[in-house]
Amino acid sequence: MFSLEHLTSFVAVAEELHFGRAAARLTMTQPPLSRRIQALEHEVGVELLERSRRTVRLTPAGRVFLADARRILELSEQAALSARRVPGGEVGTVTLGFTAATAYSYLETVLAAVRDRLPHVDLVLREMVSSAQRAALLAGDLDLGLVRPPMGGPGLATAPLAREPLVAALPADHRLARRGTDPDVRDFDGEPFVMYSPAEARYFYEVLSRAFRDARVTPRYVQHLAQVHTILTLVRSGHGVSLVPAAATRLGLTGVVLRPVTGVGEEPVELEMAWRATNDNPALAALVDLLRSAAAAG
Amino acid sequence: MFSLEHLTSFVAVAEELHFGRAAARLTMTQPPLSRRIQALEHEVGVELLERSRRTVRLTPAGRVFLADARRILELSEQAALSARRVPGGEVGTVTLGFTAATAYSYLETVLAAVRDRLPHVDLVLREMVSSAQRAALLAGDLDLGLVRPPMGGPGLATAPLAREPLVAALPADHRLARRGTDPDVRDFDGEPFVMYSPAEARYFYEVLSRAFRDARVTPRYVQHLAQVHTILTLVRSGHGVSLVPAAATRLGLTGVVLRPVTGVGEEPVELEMAWRATNDNPALAALVDLLRSAAAAG
DNA sequence: GGCGGTTACGTAAGGCGTAAGAATT
DNA sequence: AATTCTTACGCCTTACGTAACCGCC
């Protein structure tokens, strides 16, 4: 196999079309350069240059090989540069877990941040429920997860990412939707209510339960569901009202009115990121730093 | 700069995750392999492997570098293979000139033949009138031209490519178009006729002139034009009738009827290829051979 | 004759293998 | 104690530079 020195030598000669000048450019004398090119030609198995005493010209094979040689040399330089940038986290891959609910909210923020600030970091996206994310993080199948609290635990580190308000989800023809003022949590007392599932959507179940307890209201739960978009579908068809994270606005579902709601606290819904404490992926560290400062900046 | 041997060594170790086995695979002992990897890491400027006495693991930087290393090695092999195939003409570039008229006829045949039989030959297409092609062929700006005869001359070689019939081009409501039988050249006697330009389309002008002379008919020339599609446009608007190469059918122009015509010879329109006799482009030689045998096969 | 490439030859260095070393299970 | 990577050392091959050589404007 030829070496990269052979290739740089060949490119120099091909560009200068003059062994002497090429040798000077390579800071060597020309006899060894001649030998190198001969060796390269022997190795490749084809004449690359046509020497006619006074002039040097590329053969057709030489032209083809020159293009490849340039690409190989460029790739080689890039390879070293890329590798050097890995420990700083600028280059690499992060496997990111997210739940269905984050897909249309904070995930966009993460993607935009990575595109702008860590353009050489590849994100591999995996939609997974929170429990599966915990296992995958610990197993090393996932680098980072976008999850609802609480996600602490042995071996896992977490950091808050964002808080968001709850909004009331009302059928378009509901009296609270038609009323001029925004609904209050107390308006839901005794109201048919599409509730989160305590098992599969424990976080939202607890946030809402606490809000109702604090306000001393008791909606009438008509269904328990895990996913925001399913809840909204039932609200639309008039089975009841609900409270969903504000990001649900981005779903753009028609037939459901989403309105600010008072009495449930400012921004009760929390989102955090979680990762294995011993994960040594530098790109993960860089991404965690990036998201941490983005969260701090608001 | 690291060498390709460094890369093969690294790939072997990265795949085996064991210096001893990797060394065996490279048919060497492991001490020099260790040194090579150390030198490579020093060169790249980053730790690629994590040696923990009992196990060898890739670092994140190592994973990134491994992908690049594999690509570089593959490219290097391919480069040699490609270059070796150039003298046989299997790999390379042919700059091909063609006239507007061949664009919708024989050019397609050439493109299909190259795609099927010389898939690694790149074609660079240039539309040029015949005189410009002659100059470009001699100047080395063109490797091969698709031209009308006669294109011989000092330094140029030619070979016939194809013959094709002439068809009558008639306005849709013309009496010859409505008649049950195909027109004969004698039907054009005294008929308003859209003729080729003797200067810019000399070949067609002469083919038609000879056909008319042989049949002793004298159409009434109403226009002289260079390009088939312009002629057809005038025919469509009723300025006259014309005779065009059968390939014009592929233009799919509506409002013009193209019908077989008798009395003008079987396939009077010839197409040939021309190239500079001293052109040493092996891909050109391969293409000429290919087209020659395709023409012989019909 | 001189420019521009190749061949010949002596020398220096880089890299191999063998052997010894160190650390971990 | 055994395994496995690293360091030490002697030798050989590879490849440089200098010098001589050859062929064509």
Side-chain angles (χ1 to χ4, degrees):
Chain A
M1 174 67 73
F2 52 80
S3 79
L4 296 178
E5 280 69 39
H6 286 137
L7 298 186
T8 35
S9 304
F10 173 64
V11 170
V13 176
E15 281 172 1
E16 301 284 350
L17 292 178
H18 189 290
F19 278 71
R21 283 196 295 276
R25 201 169 108 181
L26 299 164
T27 55
M28 64 190 295
T29 57
Q30 99 268 49
L33 178 58
S34 287
R35 288 192 298 260
R36 265 200 206 169
I37 301 296
Q38 285 166 15
L40 176 63
E41 287 176 317
H42 185 260
E43 186 60 50
V44 174
V46 78
E47 192 185 38
L48 300 173
L49 293 165
E50 194 185 318
R51 296 87 145 167
S52 45
R53 286 301 160 224
R54 214 64 177 181
T55 54
V56 175
R57 294 194 316 164
L58 279 168
T59 63
R63 261 187 290 280
V64 168
F65 192 74
L66 176 60
D68 284 334
R70 285 204 177 104
R71 262 189 76 205
I72 292 168
L73 291 173
E74 194 183 340
L75 243 162
S76 299
E77 280 181 38
Q78 283 308 316
L81 292 177
S82 289
R84 255 195 287 280
R85 285 160 65 191
V86 168
E90 292 167 77
V91 169
T93 302
V94 175
T95 308
L96 179 69
F98 64 98
T99 58
T102 50
Y104 47 87
S105 60
Y106 202 77
L107 184 60
E108 292 177 22
T109 311
V110 175
L111 296 182
V114 168
R115 189 191 56 214
D116 294 346
R117 307 287 299 278
L118 294 171
H120 296 290
V121 167
D122 289 327
L123 282 186
V124 177
L125 298 179
R126 297 218 194 290
E127 185 184 334
M128 306 172 88
V129 298
S130 292
S131 58
Q133 284 197 46
R134 159 175 255 124
L137 286 168
L138 290 170
D141 294 333
L142 218 56
D143 289 312
L144 189 68
L146 301 183
V147 294
R148 302 293 176 186
M151 194 38 124
L156 286 188
T158 64
L161 274 186
R163 307 181 65 96
E164 60 180 321
L166 282 171
V167 294
L170 310 164
D173 58 355
H174 195 274
R175 75 185 150 80
L176 291 173
R178 291 156 168 270
R179 201 176 69 183
T181 56
D182 286 338
D184 184 81
V185 66
R186 283 174 306 231
D187 291 323
F188 292 130
D189 199 35
E191 190 74 22
F193 194 95
V194 184
M195 187 54 170
Y196 286 87
S197 157
E200 296 153 271
R202 201 181 84 219
Y203 177 70
F204 281 105
Y205 180 85
E206 285 177 3
V207 167
L208 264 60
S209 297
R210 160 183 298 247
F212 291 142
R213 190 167 358 103
D214 290 350
R216 295 200 182 76
V217 300
T218 325
R220 183 159 58 84
Y221 297 156
V222 292
Q223 286 289 344
H224 288 85
L225 297 167
Q227 305 221 351
V228 171
H229 74 264
T230 334
I231 289 176
L232 292 178
T233 312
L234 261 78
V235 167
R236 172 162 60 177
S237 56
H239 286 81
V241 301
S242 193
L243 287 168
V244 296
T249 313
R250 298 198 208 163
L251 272 176
L253 217 66
T254 59
V256 184
V257 176
L258 299 177
R259 294 188 55 181
V261 60
T262 55
V264 292
E266 193 70 23
E267 290 185 317
V269 182
E270 294 171 84
L271 180 69
E272 55 182 37
M273 55 181 167
W275 65 96
R276 198 185 69 224
T278 57
N279 189 324
D280 68 346
N281 182 342
L284 167 65
L287 179 56
V288 165
D289 281 355
L290 173 59
L291 296 180
R292 218 195 279 268
S293 56
Chain B
M1 175 66 75
F2 52 80
S3 79
L4 295 178
E5 280 68 40
H6 286 138
L7 298 186
T8 33
S9 303
F10 173 64
V11 170
V13 176
E15 282 173 0
E16 300 286 349
L17 291 177
H18 189 289
F19 278 72
R21 282 195 297 274
R25 201 168 107 182
L26 299 164
T27 53
M28 65 191 293
T29 58
Q30 102 270 44
L33 178 58
S34 287
R35 289 193 297 261
R36 267 199 204 168
I37 301 296
Q38 285 166 16
L40 176 63
E41 286 176 317
H42 186 260
E43 187 60 51
V44 174
V46 77
E47 194 184 37
L48 300 173
L49 293 165
E50 196 185 318
R51 296 85 145 166
S52 43
R53 289 299 161 223
R54 213 65 178 181
T55 54
V56 175
R57 293 194 314 165
L58 278 168
T59 64
R63 262 186 290 278
V64 168
F65 192 74
L66 176 59
D68 285 333
R70 285 204 177 104
R71 263 191 77 204
I72 292 168
L73 291 172
E74 195 182 340
L75 243 163
S76 300
E77 281 181 37
Q78 283 308 315
L81 292 178
S82 288
R84 254 196 287 279
R85 285 161 64 191
V86 167
E90 293 167 76
V91 168
T93 302
V94 175
T95 308
L96 179 70
F98 63 96
T99 58
T102 51
Y104 47 86
S105 60
Y106 203 77
L107 184 60
E108 291 176 22
T109 311
V110 175
L111 295 181
V114 168
R115 190 190 55 214
D116 294 346
R117 307 288 299 277
L118 295 170
H120 296 290
V121 168
D122 289 328
L123 281 186
V124 177
L125 298 179
R126 298 218 193 291
E127 185 185 332
M128 306 171 88
V129 298
S130 292
S131 57
Q133 284 195 46
R134 159 176 253 124
L137 286 169
L138 290 171
D141 294 334
L142 218 55
D143 288 313
L144 188 68
L146 301 182
V147 294
R148 301 294 176 186
M151 193 38 125
L156 285 188
T158 63
L161 274 184
R163 306 181 66 96
E164 59 180 322
L166 283 171
V167 294
L170 310 164
D173 57 356
H174 195 275
R175 73 180 153 80
L176 291 173
R178 290 156 170 272
R179 201 177 68 183
T181 56
D182 285 338
D184 183 83
V185 66
R186 283 175 304 234
D187 292 322
F188 293 130
D189 198 37
E191 190 75 22
F193 194 95
V194 184
M195 186 55 171
Y196 286 88
S197 157
E200 296 153 89
R202 201 181 83 219
Y203 177 70
F204 280 106
Y205 180 84
E206 285 177 2
V207 166
L208 264 61
S209 299
R210 159 183 300 248
F212 292 141
R213 189 169 357 104
D214 290 351
R216 296 199 180 76
V217 300
T218 325
R220 182 159 59 83
Y221 297 157
V222 292
Q223 288 288 344
H224 287 85
L225 296 167
Q227 304 221 352
V228 171
H229 74 263
T230 335
I231 289 176
L232 292 178
T233 311
L234 261 79
V235 168
R236 172 161 61 178
S237 55
H239 286 81
V241 301
S242 193
L243 286 169
V244 296
T249 314
R250 300 200 207 162
L251 272 175
L253 217 65
T254 58
V256 183
V257 176
L258 299 178
R259 294 190 52 183
V261 60
T262 54
V264 292
E266 193 72 22
E267 291 185 317
V269 182
E270 294 171 83
L271 179 69
E272 55 182 38
M273 55 181 168
W275 65 97
R276 197 184 70 224
T278 57
N279 190 323
D280 68 345
N281 183 340
L284 166 64
L287 179 56
V288 165
D289 281 354
L290 174 59
L291 296 181
R292 216 195 281 269
S293 56

